[in-house]
Amino acid sequence: MIEVILSKIMIDETRDEQVIVMKEKLGDRSFPIVISIFEATAISLKVKGIETPRPMTHDLLKNTIENLGAAVEKISITNLTDNTFYARLFLKTKNNTVEVDSRPSDAIALALRTKSPIFVAEEILTQLAGTKQ
């Protein structure tokens, strides 16, 4: 797994689909992920440090996880099938680590709130490099 960081958020309020770009933390490879306006907004608010008067969905999830005595250990973007990315949350509890299926956009929004590392499978970066023209 390769650690990545959020590199760019491209929001076009006239469209339903938005784009975030993830980049290798210690490299030059990057890749886009198409997400909805809702997750793009949640990610953008966090990146800009804008606090909302009430918890947004990803804040609620963060608070719930922490109040149950767990923590987000990391998130991993694990698969790319038919142009759809798949991700996993790794939640550390007192006794073990629990994996939870997630959309990458939700996982990234949560990782930003918990300051958790984000990883992508090397195979995805290789696969994407092979599709560039």
Side-chain angles (χ1 to χ4, degrees), residues 31-76:
F31 61 96
I33 301 176
V34 176
I35 65 175
S36 80
I37 186 69
F38 303 109
E39 286 75 26
T41 300
I43 290 169
S44 180
L45 287 172
K46 183 60 183 171
V47 168
K48 293 177 180 176
I50 298 172
E51 297 291 327
T52 57
R54 299 291 299 143
M56 301 278 289
T57 303
H58 301 97
D59 301 311
L60 171 66
L61 180 56
K62 172 190 176 283
N63 295 341
T64 301
I65 291 167
E66 290 173 353
N67 282 308
L68 289 171
V72 179
E73 185 176 280
K74 66 181 177 179
I75 73 125
S76 295

Side-chain angles (χ1 to χ4, degrees), residues 73-122:
E73 185 176 280
K74 66 181 177 179
I75 73 125
S76 295
I77 301 168
T78 57
N79 196 9
L80 173 60
T81 303
D82 297 327
N83 294 318
T84 300
F85 288 92
Y86 294 82
R88 308 284 294 169
L89 303 176
F90 290 81
L91 305 178
K92 183 76 174 161
T93 67
K94 184 177 179 180
N95 299 319
N96 63 348
T97 298
V98 177
E99 289 185 44
V100 180
D101 186 29
S102 176
R103 296 183 305 178
S105 56
D106 291 322
I108 291 164
L110 181 61
L112 292 172
R113 283 161 173 74
T114 60
K115 297 179 176 55
S116 303
I118 303 167
F119 294 91
V120 64
E122 174 67 44

